[in-house]
Amino acid sequence: MPSQEIGMPIPNIPHAVSVTLPTWEATVGYEEGQDWVVSKMNSGYPRFFIHSSIQKLSKKIEAKYGRDGERCMIFPSYKVAKRCRKFIKEKTDIDNPVIRVLQLSTPAPASEDEKSTVIESTIGVVFFPASEYPLAKNYWQHSGEGISSRMGEYVLRELFEKDSSRSTSPTPSSGFRAANSNLKHELQVQQIQRRSPSISASIRSPSVTQNEETEKEFNTFIEQKFGRVLDLKFAKEAKIALRRRICGKVDKSHNQIEEMEKARRGKNLSETDVYLFPSGMATIFYAHQVLLELSKEPKKSVCFGFPYVDTLNILKKFGPGVHFLGLGDDNSLDELEKELESGEIDIMALFCECPSNPLLKTPDLKRIRKLADKYDFAVVVDETVGNFLNIHVLPYADMVCSSLTKVFSGDSNVMAGSLVLNPASSRYHQLKEYFDKEYEDLFWSEDALWLERNSRDFAERSVRIDKTALATVDLLQKCPLLAKVYYPTLSDTKKYYDEIKTPTGGYGGLISFLFHEPEHAIRFFNAVNLHKGPSLGTNFTLACPYAILAHYQELDEIAQWDVDRNLIRISIGLEDTEELLAVLQTSLDEAAAKPIA
């Protein structure tokens, strides 16, 4: 059964992406920093909660290289660390703060045998006055450029826990054997999860005693079936496979519409136009940074539609600022066109989600593209919620961003993102030249190996999730307790979704809904026997009180964009459809069982 224990990783593995917040009250307690919740949070979404292995590495580095009163933040390159330093200096209230950047590297493999377990890596460490830690954490959260938990584990082992005398023997160190134990446990959870996602959170960590014979059989199974996943020397091949997979799916899933074919101008998308990042948010951050760098005079951008929280944070806090068109409707586009025509505003880019999270609105991409061509601004589309098997947005964007952490991976055990350049874009050559010169591959090798394996059945999972989502929407629509259900098929913008929907595509697995009475929302959420926490696109259904979790400090403000404080969001997983519907119906019945006080 899904765990209802506060702070339990979802799934219960060392590198889980989500974390359990099982009740409405616990979610509020987390947002308010109440001790009864925060003290139990030993895990969390990686951009908001720094993994224990990274915390340990930070303390080791501070002890060895830090000065009195300093703290540090670790990034996967010197260049990223310098970006963080610049951000802190721009935002701090301290005059001339001392902010240092240190570069550290782990050794390269000393032999051919070591290539399976050793990889040369470099980190950039930012040292700053302890008082500025919140600013450094803001950069970590907004940019998505922090090191991954697996990279933190590896660097910690190589720099501080491994014997100084390097052995030429292929026998892994004790640290690597421990890491392998974690990897094997993750694979075990992954296999069980695919068969029965609802039980994954009940699986305990490797520290719990297991039957020795079962463990021996499982070790053999891992070695025979998945040994390649544990081998670092295949990381390069894994990344190539990922880029080809993304490139092929994007390219092959497009609608056979003449207008789209014209927009492609006879050019085929290449794997060299696909770039991998350590998180989905890092792709949006980097796209924005690229446009700022390439602009002769940086201008504000437009955020069209109510987006995921850190997309707006990036546009607000980095560069000249943002014009926020939070409703993301036709009237908003009319107003934008008037302001562009009159010269009242001049913009660098328009950022939008397709469809939006959490209201599932789809922007009019055809019209946006026409405006972009006429008024010379870039278009950046985040298609994470729709996913590129369901929708084809590339002809209308200069850059397409996606969080591969979500349905592309599914297993909730790795962070990743992709950015695709449109070869038919008028900006393509300028963007390509910049990427060729400045792009850094910061996607950690072990994460690439995990993502490659996770995403092999992406297409099959996507179809299954889409079908279950439609059945779920039908159930929710029939419930008299609900005031509104949000889904692309129910939105006034469905016509825009259908224009970009692929021939075999569905409408995605994300659903939001609103009860007439807030008390019913709380009762339902507390009663529903599902995994409850942040993230979406997981192989298990995941629920959260979205506005409380993502916008607790600005609930009154977001109401103007039609985001209600009592909104609940669910992300559909791979459970049996009838079983999932029964769970939801039971909780709806329980919510209605008592009269409102």
Side-chain angles (χ1 to χ4, degrees), residues 305-467:
F306 189 86
Y308 175 70
V309 57
D310 278 319
T311 296
L312 189 56
N313 278 328
I314 287 169
L315 301 181
K316 281 181 177 178
K317 296 183 180 183
F318 299 85
V322 61
H323 301 286
F324 183 31
L325 305 180
L327 293 176
D329 55 11
D330 289 343
N331 290 336
S332 299
L333 267 186
D334 291 342
E335 186 63 30
L336 175 63
E337 185 169 15
K338 288 179 183 178
E339 292 177 342
L340 291 168
E341 180 68 33
S342 67
E344 184 178 343
I345 64 172
D346 183 16
I347 63 174
M348 178 181 76
L350 182 147
F351 288 74
C352 63
E353 297 175 347
C354 193
S356 64
N357 174 18
L359 298 183
L360 288 309
K361 292 182 179 180
T362 305
D364 184 352
L365 289 182
K366 286 187 176 181
R367 186 178 174 192
I368 287 172
R369 181 70 263 166
K370 290 177 180 177
L371 290 176
D373 291 340
K374 183 175 181 180
Y375 296 104
D376 191 28
F377 60 85
V379 178
V380 181
V381 180
D382 177 358
E383 43 79 291
T384 299
V385 172
N387 96 54
F388 50 75
L389 289 176
N390 288 329
I391 56 175
H392 187 58
V393 304
L394 189 63
Y396 308 108
D398 299 288
M399 291 182 274
V400 176
C401 298
S402 184
S403 173
L404 305 179
T405 308
K406 309 306 191 297
V407 69
F408 185 79
S409 170
D411 280 308
S412 190
N413 64 1
V414 62
M415 296 279 285
S418 66
L419 188 155
V420 180
L421 297 181
N422 179 5
S425 164
S426 61
R427 300 172 183 271
Y428 174 76
H429 294 294
Q430 184 188 32
L431 291 170
K432 188 68 174 175
E433 183 178 355
Y434 183 93
F435 272 73
D436 287 344
K437 181 181 179 182
E438 299 292 340
Y439 167 77
E440 294 182 290
D441 179 1
L442 304 177
F443 190 34
W444 179 239
S445 295
E446 288 177 88
D447 294 325
L449 290 164
W450 278 101
L451 184 63
E452 191 282 318
R453 191 195 181 288
N454 290 354
S455 60
R456 292 176 192 174
D457 61 352
F458 165 46
E460 293 82 356
R461 288 185 289 105
S462 179
V463 170
R464 185 171 164 184
I465 287 169
D466 290 347
K467 289 181 179 178

Side-chain angles (χ1 to χ4, degrees), residues 60-78:
K60 293 279 189 182
I61 290 176
E62 286 168 359
K64 187 170 183 177
Y65 301 103
R67 298 171 183 169
D68 288 343
E70 283 187 333
R71 293 194 65 179
C72 78
M73 193 71 75
I74 308 170
F75 296 96
S77 80
Y78 187 77

Side-chain angles (χ1 to χ4, degrees), residues 47 138-144 281 310 313-314 317-318:
R47 284 192 304 101
N138 277 344
Y139 184 87
W140 175 286
Q141 175 187 323
H142 301 331
S143 73
M281 196 49 58
D310 278 319
N313 278 328
I314 287 169
K317 296 183 180 183
F318 299 85

Side-chain angles (χ1 to χ4, degrees), residues 2-4 8 10 18-24 27 524-534 541-545:
S3 172
Q4 303 302 317
M8 176 67 69
I10 311 176
S18 191
V19 63
T20 302
L21 289 168
T23 64
W24 200 281
T27 308
F524 168 84
F525 185 77
N526 290 350
V528 71
N529 192 24
L530 296 172
H531 296 292
K532 297 180 228 182
T541 298
L542 188 61
C544 71

Side-chain angles (χ1 to χ4, degrees), residues 492-560:
D492 293 340
T493 62
K494 178 178 182 293
K495 57 188 176 182
Y496 301 133
Y497 190 103
D498 288 341
E499 286 178 348
I500 57 173
K501 183 172 169 288
T502 62
T504 58
Y507 292 91
L510 200 65
I511 307 166
S512 297
F513 50 96
L514 186 64
F515 285 83
H516 288 289
E517 299 291 341
E519 188 173 329
H520 283 150
I522 296 171
R523 285 184 194 170
F524 168 84
F525 185 77
N526 290 350
V528 71
N529 192 24
L530 296 172
H531 296 292
K532 297 180 228 182
S535 198
L536 58 92
T538 51
N539 289 339
F540 43 84
T541 298
L542 188 61
C544 71
Y546 182 81
I548 298 293
L549 186 62
H551 298 280
Y552 188 71
Q553 305 301 327
E554 49 192 11
L555 292 173
D556 291 334
E557 180 182 341
I558 66 173
Q560 66 183 303

Side-chain angles (χ1 to χ4, degrees), residues 109 111-119 227-238 445 449:
S111 66
E112 190 64 30
D113 288 331
E114 275 200 345
K115 289 183 179 180
S116 292
T117 62
V118 176
I119 185 170
R228 188 169 76 86
V229 177
L230 310 181
D231 197 328
L232 290 177
K233 69 183 177 185
F234 290 104
K236 182 178 179 180
E237 286 78 4
S445 295
L449 290 164

